[in-house]
């Protein structure tokens, strides 16, 4: 199928995907540039408190990826039954929700850097970079939305 039967659906996807990219690509890139210059490291507290916090942040980051995968599966199954007028709103809502959940990884990186000191910089940068990676891996592309719209699932 070459032509999109619902142009508002395609427009909604473009708007949502661009907003998601600004949240998950442009903002983390800016944070990477600010780390160490504008955003200063804190003093690392004694003991392994920061390391335990890092493990917690890692678990929360993976939990966000699992949640998005689970939710996309549910949305994908129901998307074919939605009337055309509700599809653009669903695409926008879901894409922005996924981007916001992935952006939490950047927040974890900033908090980790602020609490962990200079020794935590590489881990903080990894958390920030994960935001972009997860956006491109887990957020559905337009073709996935089109396929979901065309499939009637019981």
């Amino acid at each position: 199928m070459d032509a999109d039967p619902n142009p508002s659906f395609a427009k909604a996807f473009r708007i949502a995907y661009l907003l998601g990219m600004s949240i998950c690509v442009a903002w983390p890139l800016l944070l990477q540039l600010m780390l160490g210059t504008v955003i200063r490291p804190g003093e690392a507290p004694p003991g392994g408190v920061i390391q335990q916090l890092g493990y917690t942040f890692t678990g929360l980051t993976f939990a966000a990826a699992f949640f998005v995968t689970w939710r996309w599966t549910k949305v994908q199954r129901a998307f074919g039954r939605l009337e055309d007028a509700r599809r653009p709103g669903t695409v926008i809502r879901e894409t922005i929700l996924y981007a916001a959940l992935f952006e939490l990884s950047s927040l974890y990186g900033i908090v980790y850097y602020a609490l962990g000191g200079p020794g935590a910089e590489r881990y903080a940068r990894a958390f920030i970079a994960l935001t972009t990676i997860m956006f491109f891996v887990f957020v559905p592309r337009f073709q996935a939305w089109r396929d979901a719209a065309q499939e009637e699932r019981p």
Side-chain angles (χ1 to χ4, degrees), residues 61-73 94 97-98 101:
T61 299
F62 285 115
F66 286 126
F67 176 77
V68 166
T69 303
W70 171 79
R71 185 168 171 107
W72 166 242
T73 302
E94 294 300 315
L97 173 65
Y98 302 162
L101 286 171

Side-chain angles (χ1 to χ4, degrees), residues 17-102:
Y17 205 76
L18 285 174
L19 281 171
M21 284 184 66
S22 67
I23 293 169
C24 291
V25 178
W27 179 241
L29 181 60
L30 184 62
L31 288 175
Q32 291 281 10
L33 295 173
M34 292 174 23
L35 213 63
T37 56
V38 176
I39 301 171
R40 298 285 180 192
E43 294 295 320
V49 174
I50 294 302
Q51 186 177 24
Q52 294 302 316
L53 186 63
Y55 294 149
T56 302
F57 287 164
T58 302
L60 289 171
T61 299
F62 285 115
F66 286 126
F67 176 77
V68 166
T69 303
W70 171 79
R71 185 168 171 107
W72 166 242
T73 302
K74 284 186 65 174
V75 168
Q76 187 179 20
R77 287 186 183 136
F79 198 67
R81 292 188 301 269
L82 282 178
E83 60 259 9
D84 287 344
R86 292 188 58 202
R87 287 180 180 170
T90 301
V91 169
I92 291 172
R93 181 189 67 234
E94 294 300 315
T95 303
I96 299 303
L97 173 65
Y98 302 162
L101 286 171
F102 295 147

Side-chain angles (χ1 to χ4, degrees), residues 112 116-123:
Y112 195 69
E121 182 175 355
R122 66 181 171 164
Y123 300 110

